[in-house]
Amino acid sequence: MDPNDNSRPTIERATADDVETVADLWVRLARDQRRHDSYVRADANRETMRDTLAAHQVNDGLLVARDGGTVVGFASFSVERGSLQLDATRGVLSNIYVVPAARGQGVGTALLEAVEDELASQGADVVVLEVMARNEAARRFYERKGYETYRVAMDRDLEDDRSENDTHSKEDG
């Protein structure tokens, strides 16, 4: 995008022809997330994600940001359809990505606002998303948009020396 051009990108539903491009962008997103300790393997999951993104496209859950004819970002989302009764219908933002050259120019904001509008029109009361704990830039972005932490995920490497934390075997002896 031209940094001197203040026009917003065009946000629209992705077409079937966009799916391959969006899958390539997803690989870039997944590679980037590895810097923030994501376990997801970018290249190994491309085809699986291509199929997932194609399903989102068919179900009106895939948006692209275009600068001219070039896709510079995307977002995938859906309304949660679980088996549990909830107090609110949750819309899930599963992926959002903007190419580095287009960041800081309102593309992410435009995509997020469009996702929120789409999810609201599909009956969602709230939008939920996940962000890597170490991805400070993404966390700040969402916080500026009014998102709040409501759940925290934790992990532990099972390759660590478990004997230090193995209270059962110490107590049993």
Side-chain angles (χ1 to χ4, degrees), residues 35 47 57 74 81 99 103 124 166:
R35 294 184 305 120
E47 292 310 307
Q57 186 273 321
F74 79 94
R81 306 277 185 226
V99 298
R103 293 180 187 164
D166 186 1

Side-chain angles (χ1 to χ4, degrees), residues 9-134:
T10 302
I11 307 298
E12 58 194 25
R13 285 193 170 115
T15 67
D17 290 339
D18 292 323
V19 171
E20 290 297 330
T21 299
V22 173
D24 290 340
L25 292 179
W26 179 88
V27 169
R28 292 172 67 178
L29 165 66
R31 285 180 185 154
D32 183 59
Q33 292 304 297
R34 300 285 287 189
R35 294 184 305 120
H36 304 291
D37 297 330
S38 172
Y39 298 119
V40 176
R41 295 181 182 169
D43 297 290
N45 288 300
R46 185 196 183 282
E47 292 310 307
T48 299
M49 280 307 301
R50 190 199 97 38
D51 293 345
T52 299
L53 292 163
H56 278 285
Q57 186 273 321
V58 167
N59 292 304
D60 293 330
L62 185 62
L63 299 177
V64 293
R66 292 188 201 281
D67 178 24
T70 304
V71 175
V72 295
F74 79 94
S76 59
F77 56 94
S78 61
V79 174
E80 186 176 56
R81 306 277 185 226
S83 59
L84 299 176
Q85 296 292 320
L86 304 175
D87 289 332
T89 301
R90 300 190 311 186
V92 179
L93 173 59
S94 48
N95 293 286
I96 188 168
Y97 179 76
V98 176
V99 298
R103 293 180 187 164
Q105 300 175 44
V107 178
T109 296
L111 277 167
L112 183 60
E113 289 172 354
V115 166
E116 292 170 345
D117 290 346
E118 288 283 335
L119 286 169
S121 74
Q122 294 176 23
D125 301 311
V126 63
V127 177
V128 296
L129 57 87
E130 292 183 4
V131 61
M132 298 302 296
R134 291 188 174 96

